[in-house]
Amino acid sequence: MSNETEIANQAMEEATTEEQQEMQDKVVSPEKAEEAKLKARYPHLGTKPGGSDLLRKRLQKGQKYFDSGDYNMAKAKMKNKQLPSATAEKTEITGDHIPTPQDLPQRKPSLVASKLAV
Amino acid sequence: MAGAGGGANDVQWCFSQVKGAIDDDVAEADIISTVEFNHSGELLATGDKGGRVVIFQQDTENKSLPQCRSEYNVYSTFQSHEPEFDYLKSLEIEEKINKIRWLPQKNAAQFLLSTNDKTIKLWKISERDKRPEGYNLKEEDGRCRDSTTITTLRVPVFRPMDLMVEASPRRVFANAHTYHINSISVNSDNETYLSADDLRVNLWHLEITDRSFNIVDIKPANMEELTEVITAAEFHPHQCNTFVYSSSKGTIRMCDMRASALCDKHSKLFEEPEDPSNRSFFSEIISSISDVKFSHSGRYMMTRDYLSVKIWDLNMENRPVETYQVHEYLRSKLCSLYENDCIFDKFECCWNGNDSVVMTGSYNNFFRMLERTQRRDITLEASRESSKARQVLKPRRVCAGGKRKKDEISVDSLDFNKKILHTAWHPQENIIAVATTNNLYIFQEKVN
């Protein structure tokens, strides 16, 4: 083989190795690619400190806005007046409105038998 | 092939029964939240989001005829838990049944523990097939007899009646959990059981409801420092002093109750080392263990995390002995699975009777059977389309990318609302119960 061909071959090999390296850099693990996607959509994700919002959200499942203290204070204050009545819409109750037990979504046990038992 | 278990690919699975409504409009209360066979496999219990328990009984009459596989029929149904509101904490307490665990049978009655987020109840299910007749002072319908008309004395006798199955709550174990109960497990000593919530594990005596012992407490002094929660817990099947609990960080801790009253210090820590260069935002979330189950032999335990099933030898803490991918093709979909919350789905897993095959659910109403000895796996589907009597289930294949073959389904076509989170395997036979959102499918081994 002539020198030129050897050099040419070597150059080709180097080029292929370079290409491979480039490919490797581009072929990021699918997980990291997904992470990049998420960070692009939610840039502030994961930057907040303090134990993980996820865990705290999990522990607080079922929290409803009803403060028994506020409710009883309001009841005591307005002995002779009526308590503010429930709002017609099912919006979350916050702000000046004092929630009453009636405002909370009524959860009654299911009186219907399970459809599996048919 | 003889015996229970066998290879996943030796066994052909056939549709046997499906329970529940056909319509697509699913009421929230009908969502099945737990499925459990009892120790003999004769009874199959389900719990739902509406707090109801339905128990099916295997019909053993036709067992001798090979073509007539035994069917499961409704045995009893009752409202186990009701919705509550804790006004003091401003917390709504769901009636959803998180877990059902059967007690081993000691007498004619059956007992099970069912739990929602806060309260565990012991239910007694008993049969009544006789009733006393011939009272002196009252009629059969209960009306009092006119005593002046009574001239003779008779002894009441028991006469057969139509079978009546009654469920009554015998114990209520309440007010011991600040956080949400995720597991209950009956001890092999048949006297105690544990209940686990996000941060604590409690030990109860089945007879005592006003006291429970706290055996694990991982609540940090400062809640801002909270980094992991307890996701599941189970007692060892034979060693009454041993239990394990899994965490949201992918670790399993084994504790020995003989070592100390408070088992905050583990006797073994099972954790697979992670390659730090592979770490991503999703790593911790998908490593969270959603279920842990000891093998029947007591030698191994299985854990389920979001993408895989791992089998651990209890004698080896530093890595699992077997790892099976459940749906690896989802790794490139984690972003959207995070956005639609599916990444937090808690899949359960179960062993077959002789620990040779394990099963777990997936999306699109697919479920997977992973055979251990020959490392073979199969994907099956619970669907109304394959619900003809004794129809053999066809294996399903998901195409991860590239060219989709004829029978394959592409990842993007999967229905992520159709999840199989709960499955159960009969303790002795090749009969499995698979719960879709609101239907219970029963599949059995094909008999020639």
Side-chain angles (χ1 to χ4, degrees):
Chain A
M1 205 184 292
S2 71
N3 268 357
E4 283 175 11
T5 331
E6 263 182 38
I7 294 169
N9 281 346
Q10 213 180 27
M12 261 172 60
E13 265 179 35
E14 277 178 12
T16 345
T17 327
E18 265 177 30
E19 275 174 22
Q20 275 179 11
Q21 192 59 49
E22 255 183 45
M23 262 178 63
Q24 258 178 23
D25 286 347
K26 281 195 189 134
V27 178
V28 180
S29 82
E31 223 176 283
K32 291 241 165 87
E34 291 293 296
E35 180 178 15
K37 242 192 262 176
L38 197 67
K39 286 248 156 83
R41 288 186 208 175
Y42 310 102
H44 296 300
L45 204 57
T47 52
K48 281 192 280 191
S52 169
D53 292 332
L54 287 174
L55 287 183
R56 235 173 291 119
K57 197 168 85 163
R58 183 190 172 129
L59 295 179
Q60 279 178 357
K61 181 182 95 161
Q63 204 83 40
K64 291 278 184 270
Y65 292 105
F66 174 78
D67 190 317
S68 61
D70 278 348
Y71 173 64
N72 284 301
M73 295 278 283
K75 249 179 37 174
K77 242 186 249 173
M78 302 186 224
K79 261 187 298 196
N80 303 317
K81 293 188 256 180
Q82 269 207 313
L83 268 173
S85 54
T87 46
E89 316 120 49
K90 272 187 166 184
T91 50
E92 255 178 30
I93 297 159
T94 55
D96 288 333
H97 178 85
I98 308 286
T100 64
Q102 289 81 0
D103 290 343
L104 300 163
Q106 285 298 337
R107 304 273 346 277
K108 290 214 172 71
S110 168
L111 298 169
V112 183
S114 166
K115 296 205 179 102
L116 297 182
V118 168
Chain B
M1 54 130 257
N9 289 16
D10 296 350
V11 176
Q12 284 202 295
W13 292 95
C14 307
F15 170 83
S16 174
Q17 297 168 272
V18 63
K19 310 277 184 192
I22 305 175
D23 53 79
D24 283 327
D25 192 21
V26 181
E28 273 226 14
D30 292 325
I31 295 172
I32 299 171
S33 50
T34 185
V35 183
E36 186 84 354
F37 279 100
N38 76 335
H39 294 269
S40 66
E42 187 206 351
L43 298 177
L44 175 61
T46 61
D48 66 22
K49 214 164 177 216
R52 302 163 301 192
V53 171
V54 182
I55 301 173
F56 302 92
Q57 183 187 42
Q58 197 176 22
D59 168 27
T60 46
E61 279 177 15
N62 292 321
K63 243 185 150 167
S64 50
L65 300 167
Q67 311 92 283
C68 295
R69 298 314 306 272
S70 42
E71 288 201 335
Y72 281 82
N73 301 312
V74 179
Y75 179 65
S76 171
T77 178
F78 53 93
Q79 184 81 35
S80 171
H81 287 71
E82 296 184 352
E84 292 171 61
F85 194 87
D86 183 342
Y87 291 100
L88 213 51
K89 294 189 191 154
S90 201
L91 255 189
E92 191 172 70
I93 300 168
E94 273 194 301
E95 67 275 35
K96 172 166 76 92
I97 308 296
N98 292 335
K99 287 274 152 52
I100 288 174
R101 289 288 181 264
W102 291 92
L103 268 57
Q105 192 174 11
K106 276 197 272 200
N107 51 39
Q110 299 277 359
F111 288 86
L112 62 79
L113 287 170
S114 73
T115 186
N116 70 348
D117 282 339
K118 296 287 180 183
T119 306
I120 306 125
K121 293 188 186 179
L122 177 69
W123 286 87
K124 176 180 180 183
I125 297 108
S126 46
E127 292 185 359
R128 194 197 290 261
D129 61 357
K130 292 184 267 290
R131 67 154 177 252
E133 283 176 22
Y135 281 101
N136 291 294
L137 296 175
K138 57 177 179 166
E139 305 282 3
E140 296 310 324
D141 58 10
R143 282 178 303 152
C144 286
R145 281 175 77 190
D146 182 358
S147 51
T148 55
T149 63
I150 299 172
T151 53
T152 59
L153 210 56
R154 59 187 177 176
V155 177
V157 290
F158 277 98
R159 294 231 189 277
M161 62 180 249
D162 285 339
L163 180 67
M164 202 165 75
V165 182
E166 300 170 318
S168 59
R170 304 306 282 180
R171 307 266 187 276
V172 178
F173 304 91
N175 302 320
H177 286 278
T178 307
Y179 303 97
H180 302 295
I181 298 173
N182 52 56
S183 314
I184 46 174
S185 178
V186 185
N187 201 349
S188 53
D189 67 7
N190 263 331
E191 288 187 344
T192 58
Y193 75 94
L194 63 75
S195 58
D197 67 29
D198 291 317
L199 297 178
R200 299 189 176 104
V201 181
N202 292 333
L203 181 70
W204 302 83
H205 191 286
L206 285 164
E207 302 285 324
I208 300 168
T209 57
D210 63 355
R211 254 169 302 166
S212 92
F213 288 99
N214 175 238
I215 51 178
V216 174
D217 188 340
I218 65 167
K219 183 176 178 189
N222 180 3
M223 281 298 268
E224 299 268 311
E225 290 163 8
L226 182 68
T227 53
E228 70 183 319
V229 293
I230 297 170
T231 52
E234 199 183 43
F235 264 121
H236 190 279
H238 315 308
Q239 294 165 18
C240 57
N241 54 292
T242 305
F243 67 93
V244 293
Y245 67 92
S246 59
S247 84
S248 54
K249 275 186 155 173
T251 64
I252 308 101
R253 286 174 177 79
M254 177 180 278
C255 301
D256 186 337
M257 294 195 293
R258 297 170 301 187
S260 67
L262 190 60
C263 299
D264 274 357
K265 201 158 166 276
H266 55 262
S267 63
K268 290 195 186 183
L269 173 65
F270 297 85
E271 186 174 16
E272 184 166 25
E274 193 198 4
D275 182 359
S277 65
N278 280 339
R279 197 163 173 81
S280 76
F281 172 81
F282 303 110
S283 298
E284 192 175 304
I285 303 173
I286 61 172
S287 72
S288 176
I289 292 171
S290 49
D291 196 14
V292 64
K293 291 260 169 53
F294 279 104
S295 64
H296 292 96
S297 64
R299 165 93 193 268
Y300 299 95
M301 71 177 171
M302 160 168 58
T303 56
R304 174 70 155 97
D305 51 70
Y306 191 61
L307 298 178
S308 67
V309 161
K310 293 179 180 167
I311 312 259
W312 303 78
D313 184 324
L314 298 185
N315 298 314
M316 188 161 77
E317 298 167 61
N318 60 352
R319 60 177 172 82
V321 287
E322 293 153 42
T323 302
Y324 301 92
Q325 301 305 330
V326 179
H327 36 218
E328 180 65 17
Y329 46 78
L330 295 183
R331 202 179 284 271
S332 52
K333 299 285 168 200
L334 292 177
C335 181
S336 39
L337 292 168
Y338 178 88
E339 289 178 304
N340 62 18
D341 273 355
C342 284
I343 206 175
F344 302 107
D345 285 336
K346 296 184 182 60
F347 292 94
E348 292 174 9
C349 52
C350 60
W351 298 84
N352 73 338
N354 63 13
D355 299 335
S356 60
V357 188
V358 298
M359 168 167 65
T360 190
S362 178
Y363 295 104
N364 209 71
N365 282 349
F366 286 173
F367 59 99
R368 303 263 288 140
M369 292 211 173
L370 311 159
E371 204 262 320
R372 299 179 59 211
T373 37
Q374 295 183 38
R375 300 297 208 115
R376 291 188 292 186
D377 60 279
I378 190 169
T379 305
L380 300 172
E381 182 180 0
S383 73
R384 290 276 174 177
E385 286 72 47
S386 324
S387 303
K388 289 201 282 283
R390 292 186 289 283
Q391 178 178 0
V392 175
L393 297 181
K394 231 177 49 163
R396 310 286 291 156
R397 257 171 278 275
V398 177
C399 165
K403 203 153 181 266
R404 185 178 75 89
K405 296 197 195 93
K406 192 171 81 105
D407 274 337
E408 290 181 348
I409 178 167
S410 82
V411 185
D412 297 310
S413 313
L414 294 174
D415 189 342
F416 290 96
N417 290 315
K418 292 191 173 157
K419 23 194 134 188
I420 289 178
L421 304 173
H422 313 286
T423 59
W425 205 311
H426 189 290
Q428 275 118 35
E429 299 170 36
N430 275 339
I431 301 174
I432 55 175
V434 174
T436 59
T437 308
N438 64 325
N439 287 150
L440 183 71
Y441 285 79
I442 298 172
F443 301 108
Q444 294 187 5
E445 180 182 7
K446 178 168 189 275
V447 177
N448 292 313

